Amino acid sequence: MAMCRTRRGSRKSRGLLRRRAFFVAVVAAASACALGGLALSIVGAAVSRRVLAPHRGAGSQPSSSSPQHLVVLQHGLSGTVGDLSRLARELQDKSGGEVLVHSAGYNAGRNLDGVSAGGRRLAQEIVDIVNRHSSLSRISLVGNSLGGLYTRYALAELFEQSAGLGSRGRIAGLAPEAFVTIGCPHLGVRRFTFVAVPQLLRSAAGVLVGRTGEDLMLRDRACLLERMAAEDGGFLEPLRAFNRRGLYANLWGDFMVPFGTAAFEPSWGSGLLDEQSVSTLLRRPGIEVVDREVLERKSDGIALRWDVAASASDAASVRAMDDDDREAAQEAEMAANLERCGWSKFAVGFRSTGTFFPMAHNKLAAVERSGWRKWAFSWLEGTTDGDSLMGEIAAYILDSPEDSRR
């Protein structure tokens, strides 16, 4: 009997050791993946900085010798000047020869020092381009992901009041035409990560993504994203100067920038529940179903569109609230202030993505990889799924002012 107990005890010990070993292996593998991903991002940033930053004019693609309309494309985090090449080609094809498409390069490999630093670099790049092309008279900006925040910051740097244009003003001396964001974290990602991040872990964003991570988590001392969405912050008037403002957001399956922050719909929260929220959105007055097959996962593209006119804010006061309520109220106020500018919102769906495969982010901009990035990511991301959407975005940018809705 004693021998049986000894054997059973021995089997239990071996089982416990195996379970512990398995747990350690899982933790080690997860840690290795996380560190590997971080290392890959750092290497990518270093390669981008070394290869792309010196070629500051390489992103300009004029359609004629005397272009009138400057369209600036700003990539996102760890991006390159080639990321938005598919959109650039659509703009060239549809422009009729009067557009200068410029893929911004001053931020290539330099995305960790905060939104303000990136915005100032973009502003300087735009000034440099305008100085080289005296024929330019109009300007449009497109910001992909983090690039959308860069463009919004740059507008405030470049905005000039102009009595000749009434209250609209000018951007770098040019008449503002279209402003577009693609999967941009307008409200930050504090409550809009794919899976909700506990308060204690939010500080890790600054460690992993530097000052930019602090900005996106709304943990920076300057409260930059809140200020960029405040009526008295100096950032909304330049937005209103454009003939039209459009945003494109993934309805589901965006691990990086879920719908709630990309479309400034703060009630949506973390991206894990995006698919469940679509039915609620469909019941909202004014929602136009553009393609029902996209909603039914039979096609890729724009599923819904709606226009938001100027409206008064009904955001709750942030005083005398607990932390969660205060954060929600701050983001609701940011969203209401942004919506006052007037937007066309386009909700996009991809049939291959969803809660269990949230790889829609780079499809939304049809990001075009090159070199080692193409080998490392393209097979998984399938960004060509967004090719047809680039034609839709290009048409929106190039639409005539008479047909646009402010």
Side-chain angles (χ1 to χ4, degrees), residues 368-388:
E368 188 165 281
R369 304 290 191 180
S370 61
W372 69 271
R373 293 170 182 264
K374 183 176 182 179
W375 173 84
F377 300 113
S378 293
W379 64 274
L380 178 64
E381 293 176 321
T383 59
T384 54
D385 291 350
D387 279 0
S388 62

Side-chain angles (χ1 to χ4, degrees), residues 3 238 331 341 362 393 403:
M3 184 178 295
E331 290 151 2
C341 298
N362 285 333
I393 297 176
D403 296 331

Side-chain angles (χ1 to χ4, degrees), residues 35-300:
L35 291 173
L38 179 59
L40 195 61
S41 297
I42 293 171
V43 170
V47 170
S48 298
R49 183 183 299 112
R50 184 170 182 178
V51 174
L52 294 170
H55 302 287
R56 292 184 169 183
S60 298
Q61 301 176 36
S63 297
S64 71
S65 58
S66 300
Q68 300 174 29
H69 186 181
L70 172 63
V71 181
V72 178
L73 311 180
Q74 174 60 65
H75 63 73
L77 184 67
S78 296
T80 73
V81 294
D83 280 7
L84 301 179
S85 293
R86 289 168 178 152
L87 177 56
R89 289 194 292 271
E90 288 287 347
L91 288 164
Q92 294 265 346
D93 292 344
K94 295 179 184 296
S95 67
E98 66 168 12
V99 171
L100 170 65
V101 181
H102 179 77
S103 297
Y106 284 21
N107 281 311
R110 305 165 73 184
N111 302 140
L112 307 184
D113 54 356
V115 171
S116 59
R120 285 191 293 269
R121 282 191 292 268
L122 176 59
Q124 183 59 57
E125 184 166 5
I126 291 171
V127 169
D128 291 346
I129 291 297
V130 171
N131 288 341
R132 291 202 293 266
H133 297 274
S134 59
S135 62
L136 292 170
S137 61
R138 295 179 290 146
I139 185 170
S140 295
L141 286 93
V142 180
N144 177 44
S145 195
L146 176 64
L149 295 177
Y150 285 166
T151 55
R152 282 178 51 201
Y153 192 96
L155 292 183
E157 295 282 302
L158 300 171
F159 182 66
E160 308 163 3
Q161 289 282 4
S162 175
L165 286 176
S167 61
R168 287 187 57 200
R170 289 179 174 266
I171 303 296
L174 307 180
E177 190 64 48
F179 181 83
V180 171
T181 63
I182 304 172
C184 170
H186 288 285
L187 306 181
V189 297
R190 178 174 61 186
R191 291 193 315 113
F192 302 100
T193 47
F194 191 71
V195 178
V197 176
Q199 293 252 9
L200 291 175
L201 297 181
R202 292 177 182 174
S203 59
V207 177
L208 296 174
V209 203
R211 175 65 180 273
T212 301
E214 294 177 358
D215 288 345
L216 293 175
M217 279 291 179
L218 278 67
R219 294 179 60 88
D220 59 307
R221 293 181 180 178
C223 301
L224 180 60
L225 294 195
E226 292 176 67
R227 188 157 51 88
M228 288 172 62
E231 282 292 351
D232 58 354
F235 291 89
L236 298 184
E237 188 177 3
L239 269 179
R240 293 191 179 100
F242 285 84
N243 275 322
R244 52 197 176 278
R245 290 152 296 279
L247 65 80
Y248 295 78
N250 280 310
L251 264 177
W252 56 70
D254 195 323
F255 186 83
M256 299 297 293
V257 184
F259 186 80
T261 186
F264 34 91
E265 295 283 343
S267 62
W268 281 55
S270 62
L272 190 63
L273 302 177
D274 279 359
E275 287 186 88
Q276 300 176 28
S277 302
V278 174
S279 58
T280 302
L281 181 63
L282 284 169
R283 292 194 292 270
R284 184 187 298 179
I287 299 292
E288 174 192 351
V289 177
V290 176
D291 191 338
R292 189 162 293 278
E293 288 197 346
V294 176
L295 290 174
E296 296 171 352
R297 302 298 189 94
K298 297 177 182 178
S299 182
D300 302 324

Side-chain angles (χ1 to χ4, degrees), residues 303-375:
L304 308 172
R305 171 184 175 157
W306 65 106
D307 295 309
V308 180
S311 61
S313 172
D314 58 357
S317 171
V318 299
R319 297 177 181 176
M321 297 178 176
D322 61 32
D323 288 343
D324 290 340
D325 287 343
R326 186 180 298 110
E327 290 178 356
Q330 288 170 341
E331 290 151 2
E333 186 172 7
M334 291 167 66
N337 290 340
L338 284 167
E339 288 198 339
R340 278 199 195 93
C341 298
W343 294 78
S344 293
K345 295 187 179 184
F346 301 88
V348 179
F350 294 99
R351 53 192 156 173
S352 65
T353 65
T355 302
F356 300 104
F357 190 68
M359 299 296 293
H361 187 65
N362 285 333
K363 294 177 187 288
L364 190 60
V367 170
E368 188 165 281
R369 304 290 191 180
S370 61
W372 69 271
R373 293 170 182 264
K374 183 176 182 179
W375 173 84

